[in-house]
Amino acid sequence: MAEITASMVKDLRDQTGAGMMDCKKALTETGGDFEAAVDWLRTKGLASAAKKAGRVAAEGLVGVAVQGTKGAVVEVNSETDFVAKNDQFQGFVRAVTELALSNGSSVDALLDAGYPTGGSVRDVLTSNIATIGENQSVRRVEVVEVAQGVVASYVHNAAGEGLGKIGVLVALESAAPADQLAALGKQLAMHIAAANPLALDETGLDPAVVERERAIAREKAAASGKPAEIVEKMIEGGIRKFQQENTLLGQIFVIDGKTKIADVIAQAGKAAGSPVKLARYVRFQLGEGIEKAQTDFAAEVAAQVKGS
């Protein structure tokens, strides 16, 4: 069995919000398997998170740009938040995001694109690393477009025009007036930034994630001691709830707290006199899914002192 360290217990507590002793017991019961420990806590009703958010550790900025019926969102990482506030870095992110509008959803194509002041994006990035003195990278890019309608955007924790910690694009297909679509799109983008849906609808959910939820729901239901037919209904009810809470069209609109997003869109289309379809959305959160090593500065100093 893997050694259960204080650091492991702390990480599990930070992830789940469960008590320290419960986290230690969960890790002990699962042989130190972090993911299994999260599930163990959830089956015991000790952790309420329905999904695991990416561990935001990397610094930098998310850039968003919209031109006509096309929008782009780009994540550019740096080592520290200090660099993210640098005018040179911010100017680079803005320029790269604008370039993405005509270079598609490929990081390599974007890096090879010509930079406005000369050379390629890759060349300028290399130069920035040398002059700023900190590693940087263009991590990911997505471009969305509609033939008719609007691409709306929203930036959360803005560091400047079109720059922030979370960037969202919403593509609405419709013949409705552009100003009405833009207003709706902005509200939907703000909802997406706050609610962080896993997919647009049920068909977009990762089957592995759904099966994991089903297994957890089954263990919880089985522990109730109810008859088998009731247990099955409890399982299916749990899955339906998970799907509703984690798909954009099934979520409750955060702005009014009562209407499903699917109904918000339908009502907007009716009011505008033309059907509205939410064709696609993209949400980038800075550092999502990247783990950054945590260092204990005091411990490092103590170790150096002992070694001297």
Side-chain angles (χ1 to χ4, degrees):
M1 178 186 293
E3 179 186 0
I4 309 303
T5 66
S7 176
M8 292 167 65
V9 175
K10 180 182 179 299
D11 288 344
L12 185 57
R13 184 184 185 186
D14 290 343
Q15 171 98 8
T16 63
M20 193 71 76
M21 294 307 296
D22 289 326
C23 289
K24 183 175 181 181
K25 184 175 181 181
L27 287 164
T28 301
E29 291 290 331
T30 57
D33 185 319
F34 190 89
E35 295 298 329
V38 172
D39 289 348
W40 187 92
L41 287 168
R42 291 182 58 201
T43 60
K44 303 299 181 183
L46 299 172
S48 59
K51 57 189 176 183
K52 184 178 73 173
R55 297 214 294 181
V56 181
E59 299 298 342
L61 287 169
V62 173
V64 170
V66 174
Q67 186 177 78
T69 55
K70 180 185 287 188
V73 56
V74 179
E75 179 181 354
V76 183
N77 295 131
S78 61
E79 290 183 48
T80 66
D81 185 55
F82 179 77
V83 166
K85 298 173 182 176
N86 178 291
D87 288 341
Q88 180 181 344
F89 182 80
Q90 292 190 1
F92 174 76
V93 178
R94 281 198 185 92
V96 167
T97 306
E98 292 287 342
L99 286 171
L101 287 167
S102 55
N103 285 277
S105 301
S106 165
V107 171
D108 286 336
L110 183 56
L111 289 171
D112 290 336
Y115 200 76
T117 57
S120 68
V121 170
R122 195 187 307 274
D123 294 335
V124 176
L125 179 62
T126 301
S127 175
N128 286 351
I129 293 171
T131 57
I132 294 176
E134 188 170 302
N135 192 30
Q136 299 153 53
S137 66
V138 178
R139 183 187 178 207
R140 51 181 174 164
V141 54
E142 285 289 343
V143 176
V144 300
E145 185 175 12
V146 292
Q148 181 181 37
V150 161
V151 173
S153 67
Y154 172 69
V155 173
H156 189 63
N157 285 340
E161 184 66 30
L163 304 175
K165 301 294 186 182
I166 299 176
V168 179
L169 294 175
V170 174
L172 298 175
E173 292 181 351
S174 177
D179 59 339
Q180 294 182 38
L181 290 176
L184 172 64
K186 179 67 174 291
Q187 288 189 328
L188 292 174
M190 292 173 70
H191 169 94
I192 292 165
N196 192 15
L198 296 180
L200 178 62
D201 56 29
E202 295 175 12
T203 64
L205 288 172
D206 184 344
V209 172
V210 175
E211 282 309 306
R212 177 178 173 182
E213 291 302 317
R214 190 180 299 278
I216 292 171
R218 179 175 289 110
E219 188 166 345
K220 281 185 175 181
S224 69
K226 296 184 182 297
E229 63 272 17
I230 300 299
V231 165
E232 286 304 313
K233 289 181 179 179
M234 290 172 66
I235 294 170
E236 292 309 312
I239 293 300
R240 282 195 299 273
K241 182 181 178 183
F242 171 79
Q243 292 172 333
Q244 177 179 319
E245 292 177 347
N246 292 280
T247 57
L248 177 55
L249 295 179
Q251 288 179 334
I252 300 300
F253 197 22
V254 296
I255 291 178
D256 72 9
K258 61 182 181 180
T259 312
K260 278 189 178 183
I261 293 295
D263 294 332
V264 169
I265 296 169
Q267 291 168 12
K270 186 175 181 180
S274 179
V276 177
K277 177 184 177 183
L278 202 169
R280 189 183 174 200
Y281 76 90
V282 178
R283 180 187 187 275
F284 277 9
Q285 181 166 334
L286 180 66
E288 203 167 35
I290 298 176
E291 292 189 22
K292 187 176 181 181
Q294 299 295 318
T295 58
D296 186 333
F297 183 68
E300 287 184 0
V301 172
Q304 290 178 6
V305 170
K306 288 181 180 178
S308 61

